[in-house]
Amino acid sequence: MFGTQVKDLQTGVTVANGAITGTLKYLSTGALATDWGAGNFLAVKFTNIDSDSTSVMVGLEPSAGSGLVELIDDPDKNGVFKISDKNTQKLKVVQSTKGADGSTYTNTQLYDLSGLTCNNA
């Protein structure tokens, strides 16, 4: 992602029971570090998206800048996020789907990041 192999960003990352765990390596070189500053980056492939979704917004809450971004137009459904505080940030996924009655239904999921290990330089 962004010219960086996922294996260079993290090891043993899993998503289960509303939490993301594993180890994030410290990245100080490459496009991600140049654009966003050195630090720990979480790469996620979103595989559990409802095919009827009209919008899927993803991001960190609270965000250090970009807020939520639309994922549905990305054919690979990948996201990369700079983790600045694993104890206060959550990964947020907001899926919107239009129902048979024409109403929009929204499902919001928050994933705890406090179980991540963030390596330092």
Side-chain angles (χ1 to χ4, degrees):
M1 293 190 201
F2 298 94
T4 303
Q5 297 281 326
V6 172
K7 67 179 181 160
D8 295 329
L9 298 176
Q10 62 197 34
T11 59
V13 170
T14 60
V15 179
N17 302 317
I20 300 176
T21 58
T23 300
L24 303 183
K25 299 177 181 180
Y26 187 86
L27 189 67
S28 60
T29 61
L32 286 172
T34 299
D35 292 346
W36 295 349
N40 303 105
F41 295 86
L42 172 66
V44 179
K45 181 162 188 75
F46 294 88
T47 58
N48 200 19
I49 295 173
D50 185 341
S51 62
D52 294 331
S53 291
T54 56
S55 174
V56 179
M57 303 293 289
V58 297
L60 295 174
E61 188 174 277
S63 172
S66 64
L68 297 178
V69 295
E70 180 62 67
L71 180 73
I72 205 154
D73 296 328
D74 176 5
D76 296 323
K77 306 294 187 261
N78 294 324
V80 63
F81 309 93
K82 183 177 181 185
I83 307 301
S84 56
D85 187 340
K86 68 180 183 113
N87 294 314
T88 61
Q89 289 178 304
K90 307 258 187 257
L91 180 65
K92 184 175 187 176
V93 179
V94 181
Q95 292 190 64
S96 297
T97 306
K98 213 167 262 298
D101 62 358
S103 298
T104 298
Y105 297 92
T106 302
N107 178 25
T108 301
Q109 296 171 299
L110 290 174
Y111 294 89
D112 181 50
L113 304 176
S114 64
L116 288 170
T117 299
C118 295
N119 290 340
N120 295 324

